[in-house]
Amino acid sequence: MGGLGAPRALLASLAGLLVACGGQDVTDEASVDTLPPQSEEAFLGEESQALLGGWPRPSGPTTPPVALALEVENGVGKPLRVKEGTTFFINQIDIRAFVTSTKDEGLRNLIRQSDFGGLGWLGVRQVDQESIGAPGPYTRRRFYRDAAWMALPSHFIVEQVDARGRLNGVPIILNAGSEHQRRSNVDDFFIRRFRGIQTATGCATPDDCSASTSFEEEAILELRNAYEHARRQTLTLRPDTRKLRLRWSLRPAAPYEIPVEQVRDAPYAYGFRIGVEPLTPPGPDGTYAPGTEITFQLTLRDGAGNPLHPRGYLPPYNQVAPDGTESGLQYYRAFFDATATYYRRKHRERMLMTQIIGPAQDIQPIRSIVALEAFLDPAVDEQVVATPERDGVFSQFATLPFANVLFGGAFVDPALWDVPNTDTWQFKLPDNAAPGTYLVTVKGRRAYLGEDLPASTTIEIQVGTRQRTEPQLTTGPCTSCHSKGGELSEVLHGNENRAACAGCHAPLAFELEGPIFVRTHFIHSRSNRFDAPLHQCSSCHLTKESIQRTSKAACLSCHKSYPDSHVAQFGPIESMYVGGGAESFQQCTGACHTRHPGSGL
């Protein structure tokens, strides 16, 4: 969208609402056109507040606004409990509609019956498919895009209303843009994803769901990570506010209503901090010797530093999942709300997890697959995912609670979900650990009184030397796009240290797309938020050598097909993420694909 056309259109929409509520009619063309020129980024917030300046504003000390997450399912807003009198900006909007069916009818039932049915589905098409569950039965997901409603520019208006439904504060206007448009400086969210999904369970093979009688059809809208200019649009909840009314320009006659309960004496503050410390002291010279087993402990705190759990203790899984604790503590919850990289609510997975990787100068992607058995073994709390001999770097990770509790409770013994957990764990350095700096990271997510935030913390330990070593990254700078609210410190896990990713993001037998290079290629190849040509590797890669890894996983997360000769020699494409199965991470040959056309390298 160019110029001020989009903001002026939003202003006209808001003005119409104001007239309906008894406000001044400011919609005539002359008055809009004579508005003073100003930046596109500032236009929406300043103009909407100028129009609504008649409402009194709360007085008192100014504190940073809190990120608010709004959720709607099948037309019904999820009730919000929030701190009384808090000032918010809208950081997340999740809207989902779904229907179930006993027959494979694509999205037909969704279009006929759902809350999204009247939005316009002309042009919708299947663009990807993925199956999981080997050796079966399988769950197959089909992903759809390009429906008319996804292509139409749209916006949201958030209003606070009293018990009688009367507007009682300054509305916020949020520009969602269109799935068919690239990033614009009038977009209000860094992440924008509109799609349709069909999920079939009980399939005999990855492609054969003919015997299945369980199909879910859904439409999902995800807006996340407000840009800086959108964060300046705030609403302070008044004492008489009972609901938030969420108006979507594609459903002008049917706003969503989100009930609001204001909590006066909230026991915790907003915000999220993660602390991690080694309980095992280093040697007299401040370093750890190879072969040492080091105990670490985490502390999860709110923004004011209050701990979210007793020291030495994490509650049983059943007391946390799927909705969290009173303090906002979260565990892995994809057992209850399935996720899919890029396409479905990966931010709601909320895994609490830790890793060690090093030495820093040897950090690289991990391609060795972690077997499911390692997650279920009751004797193994921390998984070794990389060894120096096999992978050129050492890494371990652990989920919290441990994987044998998370996955063991889901698939082996449900009683494990009632067992109290610990906030400590042990990483054992290999006997041949190379000297250097090792990175220890913890990442998690807190959902508390309307705020849904990621956080991560990385500390460094020295192994075998006091000399600090640094990673040699072959990609960057991500800040070319990840800025103004989309920084790596804000999105994903809230982790801007890219060297501290590879340990957690190893390929798992049940989630082969785990590695960062797979996810980065896949997401950027599907997203319209990436501004550079996809074939231009130099947009992200810094060296020619860094694009010469040839494997299914390296290539087929972007490319959807390859020649028949490759199918005959290497097998068909079975996974939209990595191309195939375990063999996808093997180097094809050092002689093939040593260059990429148009790469710029």
Side-chain angles (χ1 to χ4, degrees):
M1 290 180 227
L4 290 176
R8 291 180 186 276
L10 305 192
L11 177 58
S13 297
L14 177 59
L17 294 175
L18 291 176
V19 172
C21 296
Q24 179 184 2
D25 186 353
V26 296
T27 59
D28 74 87
E29 186 174 347
S31 62
V32 172
D33 285 342
T34 56
L35 289 170
Q38 51 191 296
S39 72
E40 291 178 330
E41 292 186 354
F43 186 90
L44 298 180
E46 292 180 7
E47 288 300 334
S48 61
Q49 292 176 27
L51 284 170
L52 297 164
W55 268 292
R57 295 184 178 276
S59 59
T62 301
T63 58
V66 172
L68 187 64
L70 306 180
E71 182 178 347
V72 176
E73 185 153 308
N74 275 344
V76 179
K78 180 179 178 180
L80 277 173
R81 296 181 73 243
V82 299
K83 275 193 174 185
E84 185 179 75
T86 301
T87 298
F88 295 99
F89 68 90
I90 308 303
N91 194 52
Q92 187 172 303
I93 298 176
D94 270 285
I95 302 178
R96 174 178 179 256
F98 73 95
V99 299
T100 58
S101 174
T102 58
K103 296 181 180 179
D104 185 354
E105 298 185 78
L107 299 180
R108 289 186 181 88
N109 296 289
L110 180 78
I111 296 170
R112 293 170 186 155
Q113 306 169 22
S114 80
D115 183 53
F116 274 49
L119 294 183
W121 287 85
L122 186 67
V124 68
R125 64 188 182 94
Q126 179 186 326
V127 294
D128 272 315
Q129 175 176 308
E130 186 77 353
S131 295
I132 59 173
Y138 291 86
T139 296
R140 184 196 69 195
R141 292 195 186 97
R142 287 176 168 169
F143 303 97
Y144 297 80
R145 302 179 75 169
D146 295 339
W149 68 268
M150 303 176 190
L152 287 172
S154 66
H155 63 273
F156 289 90
I157 301 174
V158 182
E159 308 164 339
Q160 52 179 320
V161 299
D162 63 16
R164 297 174 61 182
R166 297 176 302 186
L167 192 65
N168 68 350
V170 178
I172 291 176
I173 313 173
L174 297 166
N175 184 26
S178 161
E179 269 282 84
H180 284 193
Q181 294 170 333
R182 294 206 175 269
R183 292 188 307 148
S184 163
N185 58 3
V186 296
D187 287 347
D188 282 329
F189 295 93
F190 180 77
I191 292 175
R192 175 185 67 208
R193 295 173 186 171
F194 306 161
R195 63 265 293 91
I197 305 173
Q198 186 215 52
T199 301
T201 55
C203 301
T205 72
D207 296 308
D208 181 10
C209 297
S210 58
S212 174
T213 58
S214 178
F215 297 86
E216 181 181 76
E217 306 168 24
E218 59 183 334
I220 290 183
L221 179 152
E222 300 178 20
L223 298 170
R224 298 198 299 279
N225 297 103
Y227 280 117
E228 287 176 356
H229 61 268
R231 297 183 184 202
R232 293 196 291 269
Q233 297 189 69
T234 61
L235 78 165
T236 302
L237 294 187
R238 298 171 55 86
D240 59 342
T241 296
R242 296 294 179 269
K243 295 178 182 178
L244 293 182
R245 184 182 291 140
L246 181 63
R247 298 184 184 272
W248 188 13
S249 60
L250 298 187
R251 292 167 43 95
Y256 303 113
E257 291 193 339
I258 301 172
V260 174
E261 175 191 353
Q262 298 198 54
V263 179
R264 175 168 296 179
D265 298 315
Y268 297 93
Y270 284 115
F272 188 28
R273 305 177 188 173
I274 298 178
V276 57
E277 60 177 322
L279 301 184
T280 303
D285 65 349
T287 72
Y288 292 93
T292 303
E293 184 173 75
I294 309 171
T295 297
F296 295 90
Q297 185 169 40
L298 71 79
T299 305
L300 306 175
R301 301 180 185 273
D302 65 18
N306 303 306
L308 306 180
H309 57 95
R311 187 171 175 84
Y313 169 87
L314 289 175
Y317 185 81
N318 272 336
Q319 291 183 16
V320 177
D323 297 320
T325 63
E326 182 187 21
S327 67
L329 186 66
Q330 298 284 316
Y331 291 157
Y332 178 76
R333 62 188 302 278
F335 302 121
F336 311 98
D337 189 1
T339 64
T341 296
Y342 180 68
Y343 278 119
R344 194 181 195 281
R345 291 181 159 181
K346 200 65 175 173
H347 64 296
R348 294 164 63 97
E349 192 173 78
R350 295 175 180 165
M351 175 76 83
L352 182 61
M353 194 169 185
T354 180
Q355 68 154 26
I356 185 171
I357 190 167
Q361 69 273 17
D362 293 337
I363 288 176
Q364 57 187 290
I366 296 169
R367 298 179 174 89
S368 298
I369 297 171
V370 184
L372 177 60
E373 289 75 17
F375 284 75
L376 300 175
D377 188 340
V380 177
D381 293 335
E382 302 88 4
Q383 285 70 35
V384 175
V385 296
T387 64
E389 302 88 349
R390 185 187 65 200
D391 305 284
V393 68
F394 166 72
S395 184
Q396 275 185 279
F397 70 52
T399 65
L400 300 170
F402 295 133
N404 49 37
V405 172
L406 285 183
F407 295 91
F411 303 117
V412 180
D413 182 4
L416 291 170
W417 282 5
D418 292 315
V419 177
N421 299 289
T422 178
D423 61 6
T424 63
W425 67 94
Q426 292 77 42
F427 286 143
K428 187 180 185 303
L429 299 171
D431 294 336
N432 62 341
T437 301
Y438 286 61
L439 310 182
V440 179
T441 301
V442 178
K443 65 98 172 177
R445 200 170 186 102
R446 184 188 186 211
Y448 178 70
L449 294 185
E451 182 184 54
D452 189 348
L453 285 182
S456 70
T457 295
T458 297
I459 64 170
E460 298 180 352
I461 62 172
Q462 293 300 127
V463 176
T465 178
R466 297 181 62 180
Q467 180 66 43
R468 184 176 182 272
T469 58
E470 297 184 358
Q472 307 299 314
L473 299 180
T474 60
T475 58
C478 299
T479 52
S480 299
C481 296
H482 286 270
S483 60
K484 298 183 179 180
E487 292 87 351
L488 296 180
S489 59
E490 300 280 347
V491 302
L492 306 172
H493 310 310
N495 181 12
E496 62 185 348
N497 187 341
R498 291 187 293 122
C501 296
C504 287
H505 285 279
L508 312 179
F510 55 89
E511 192 178 70
L512 288 174
E513 79 272 14
I516 287 296
F517 70 89
V518 172
R519 293 195 176 183
T520 301
H521 284 164
F522 186 88
I523 291 170
H524 289 79
S525 69
R526 265 70 175 175
S527 175
N528 58 10
R529 315 298 267 168
F530 185 60
D531 296 331
L534 291 178
H535 62 266
Q536 188 174 302
C537 306
S538 59
S539 300
C540 298
H541 286 264
L542 303 177
T543 66
K544 179 178 65 176
E545 291 73 22
S546 69
I547 68 169
Q548 292 179 342
R549 172 79 189 188
T550 54
S551 67
K552 282 186 177 180
C555 302
L556 295 180
S557 55
C558 277
H559 294 278
K560 293 188 176 184
S561 64
Y562 58 10
D564 291 342
S565 60
H566 283 47
V567 174
Q569 188 170 357
F570 306 115
I573 297 175
E574 299 172 345
S575 166
M576 67 180 183
Y577 293 116
V578 298
E583 85 288 349
S584 296
F585 298 92
Q586 299 170 2
Q587 173 81 334
C588 297
T589 171
C592 288
H593 303 293
T594 57
R595 298 195 308 166
H596 192 290
S599 69
L601 295 170

